[in-house]
Amino acid sequence: MGFFKDSNLITDPLADNNPITIQVLGICSALAITAELEASIVMSVAVLFVLGVGNVVISLMRNIIPSKIRIIVQLIVVATLVIIVDLVLKAFAYELSKTLSVFVGLIITNCIIMGRFEAFALANGPWKSFLDGIGNSLGYAVILVIVGFFRELLGSGTLLGNPVLGDPIEKTGVYAYGYENNGFMLLAPMALITVGLIIWVQRSRNTALIED
Amino acid sequence: MEKRTDKNSYTILFAIIMVLIVGSILAFLATALKPKIDVNKQLEKQQNILYALGVNDNDEKSVAFISTDKVAEEFNKYIVKQLVIQGKDVRVDNKAYLIDIKKEQASAKISSYERQLPLFLGVKENKVSYIVPIRGKGLWDAIWGYVAMDKNMTVTGVFFDHKGETPGLGANINQRFFMDDFIGENLLDPSGKFAGIDISKSNADPVNVDKIDNEVDAIAGATITGDGVAAMIRSELKVYSSYFINLKNN
């Protein structure tokens, strides 16, 4: 029933309606935290949680939210959710909360969250909104992981912190043949260029996505 | 017809009720969880101090603290003395590790108040280390840490942490490849004057062989965080340098 009928809510944002490459939301965090694959994954999981729950909450409130102050209400809902999670983690899983604490500010200001509240949850029921939240955060995650993968591999020669290309100081692996890490990959401009390349590849494969 | 939810009176009422509900949920949670969070923070401080002393569960690459259930016991075992330096006065205070560095820095700025400087004496493998808490500013938010040194102000271990530096870049100041570089560096220049340690982009010494240059390698893409670490080390350890000079002369 419901799930199969609405499964496009999950699959569309993965490619043809991707929040980063098509809707151009969440660019700031995609640039900021993709220097390492691990940070990309942590951020994706955090957004998955907040957007999934937040979309449901906003959807349940959609008929009582006054339209004049709806943006502020959305902001309060996101901020409250994130702070509650942060407080509970600090009390019961302190180590985990330290890993996540740097992401808290980035989640609250992530425009994907506000964008989906505004564009979807305010007009649809809770179950659909939940699927939309999950779908969009997965679409976000796909791009973050791709960008993080290339930036960490080419910039630091590691993946998830493991040296996969050999040791640049001891000159083992590919470094023995004169390969060097490209430090420029670690800086924000290369994240933008990487996202740009993904957009280019995606639109040349599916020309229907090109806007006039 | 105007919708019910478009009315000004409804909007104001909604805003008031929403703020009241959200405010009381957050206030309730924050108060209820505070004792637990405070305990966690105290244990973390003890873990950080022990880490700088070299008492940790590290393997080759990772950063691993002594587990929280053992840390209080280990802290009492390794940290033999906690001192507070205030002006010319030095006193023993077993709660010195709880002194709030942020508050001390702030009150030292605005009045003739003499700042309380905590100092921990740790003994590991019969070597005495002096551990000092430091605090400063990174790119986005606060950074802090603990520096362990011997009486000649040669660093024997450091621990850095941060509140919100950029993940993958500045946030890496709490990784081994950065922190371990400080071990063996001297805070004094060869003539014996306080110099601090610079985070250098042109050091060309990635494994830090040169220990007397007062420099360690910077992290690519984290210039401002690195400068913040250098500034924090310089300003926060300088205030202790007179204590160490006295120590050497006696």
Side-chain angles (χ1 to χ4, degrees):
Chain A
M1 42 153 285
F3 185 82
F4 292 104
K5 199 179 74 202
D6 297 327
S7 63
N8 62 325
L9 287 174
I10 297 229
T11 51
D12 278 357
L14 289 180
D16 289 349
N17 193 20
N18 189 285
I20 295 182
T21 61
I22 307 295
Q23 304 172 41
V24 202
L25 292 171
I27 293 286
C28 359
S29 51
L31 302 188
I33 53 125
T34 48
E36 277 178 358
L37 189 54
E38 192 185 343
S40 309
I41 294 171
V42 173
M43 180 71 183
S44 303
V45 174
V47 167
L48 182 81
F49 175 79
V50 174
L51 190 52
V53 178
N55 249 1
V56 172
V57 173
I58 290 289
S59 167
L60 288 172
M61 290 169 66
R62 69 188 186 281
N63 292 326
I64 58 164
I65 296 177
S67 58
K68 284 173 193 159
I69 56 166
R70 64 184 193 282
I71 303 274
I72 302 174
V73 173
Q74 291 162 13
L75 200 59
I76 291 175
V77 169
V78 187
T80 313
L81 277 175
V82 175
I83 292 170
I84 289 177
V85 173
D86 191 44
L87 275 175
V88 171
L89 284 180
K90 265 195 189 130
F92 298 104
Y94 196 72
E95 283 297 303
L96 185 63
S97 87
K98 284 182 58 74
T99 323
L100 288 176
S101 66
V102 290
F103 296 94
V104 167
L106 285 168
I107 297 169
I108 296 180
T109 53
N110 192 326
C111 38
I112 287 191
I113 293 177
M114 299 291 284
R116 294 323 295 173
F117 284 1
E118 183 75 8
F120 199 90
L122 274 180
N124 290 283
W127 174 240
K128 276 187 170 182
S129 299
F130 178 70
L131 293 180
D132 179 77
I134 300 295
N136 274 283
S137 21
L138 289 177
Y140 174 73
V142 168
I143 303 296
L144 246 64
V145 167
I146 294 176
V147 178
F149 176 84
F150 284 110
R151 283 183 77 191
E152 189 177 350
L153 184 69
L154 301 177
S156 316
T158 58
L159 280 178
L160 294 172
N162 301 312
V164 289
L165 297 179
D167 191 323
I169 295 164
E170 310 265 319
K171 299 280 177 217
T172 59
V174 294
Y175 298 100
Y177 304 100
Y179 175 83
E180 291 281 346
N181 285 329
N182 182 354
F184 198 39
M185 285 302 287
L186 295 175
L187 307 180
M190 284 311 287
L192 197 58
I193 291 173
T194 314
V195 172
L197 290 174
I198 296 173
I199 293 179
W200 177 30
V201 170
Q202 192 182 11
R203 293 187 195 208
S204 54
R205 285 168 59 96
N206 184 356
T207 46
L209 295 174
I210 301 172
E211 301 98 355
D212 294 320
Chain B
M1 200 193 87
E2 199 182 29
K3 271 200 301 187
R4 177 180 61 100
T5 53
D6 282 343
K7 277 197 193 134
N8 281 345
S9 54
Y10 177 82
T11 305
I12 292 169
L13 192 70
F14 184 91
I16 293 171
I17 292 174
M18 172 120 192
V19 167
L20 281 178
I21 293 175
V22 169
S24 32
I25 292 175
L26 288 182
F28 171 75
L29 263 180
T31 331
L33 296 176
K34 189 163 187 297
K36 245 185 130 55
I37 294 175
D38 284 348
V39 170
N40 284 338
K41 284 193 174 151
Q42 283 182 21
L43 291 177
E44 187 198 5
K45 277 188 177 172
Q46 296 186 337
Q47 284 177 322
N48 291 173
I49 293 169
L50 287 176
Y51 185 94
L53 180 66
V55 181
N56 46 48
D57 290 346
N58 281 354
D59 55 26
E60 206 173 314
K61 288 256 163 180
S62 72
V63 172
F65 301 114
I66 294 280
S67 68
T68 42
D69 47 329
K70 277 196 298 192
V71 64
E73 188 188 320
E74 299 280 301
F75 189 76
N76 290 333
K77 193 168 107 196
Y78 284 101
I79 304 298
V80 290
K81 212 184 215 178
Q82 298 187 45
L83 300 174
V84 178
I85 308 167
Q86 198 165 18
K88 292 207 162 47
D89 192 34
V90 179
R91 64 171 192 273
V92 176
D93 180 350
N94 283 332
K95 292 272 176 220
Y97 76 101
L98 294 178
I99 289 176
D100 189 339
I101 308 294
K102 191 177 167 189
K103 264 190 206 151
E104 293 297 317
Q105 284 175 341
S107 42
K109 236 180 263 169
I110 50 168
S111 62
S112 58
Y113 176 81
E114 199 66 68
R115 191 175 146 189
Q116 298 186 72
L117 301 167
L119 178 76
F120 317 110
L121 265 66
V123 177
K124 194 198 170 198
E125 288 154 8
N126 290 326
K127 270 186 250 157
V128 183
S129 287
Y130 299 82
I131 306 161
V132 164
I134 54 178
R135 191 180 172 92
K137 278 199 194 83
L139 170 60
W140 304 113
D141 214 319
I143 51 177
W144 60 89
Y146 295 87
V147 177
M149 26 196 181
D150 65 12
K151 65 178 195 297
N152 301 318
M153 290 193 104
T154 303
V155 175
T156 56
V158 294
F159 178 77
F160 297 126
D161 211 345
H162 62 96
K163 190 168 170 199
E165 298 308 299
T166 318
L169 300 173
N172 282 344
I173 58 168
N174 62 10
Q175 297 295 309
R176 286 281 294 281
F177 74 86
F178 184 67
M179 296 195 292
D180 286 1
D181 272 4
F182 286 81
I183 298 172
E185 283 285 338
N186 207 318
L187 286 155
L188 307 172
D189 66 10
S191 70
K193 262 199 284 185
F194 183 83
I197 297 174
D198 263 336
I199 315 293
S200 165
K201 287 206 258 187
S202 52
N203 195 16
D205 184 15
V207 280
N208 202 34
V209 190
D210 186 356
K211 300 286 189 192
I212 51 166
D213 58 354
N214 300 91
E215 279 185 346
V216 297
D217 250 27
I219 302 173
T223 306
I224 298 178
T225 308
D227 289 350
V229 173
M232 158 173 89
I233 289 173
R234 201 171 303 122
S235 65
E236 290 289 287
L237 290 176
K238 196 167 183 187
V239 292
Y240 285 88
S241 58
S242 61
Y243 177 84
F244 280 91
I245 290 167
N246 278 338
L247 204 67
K248 225 195 227 170
N249 294 343
N250 291 338

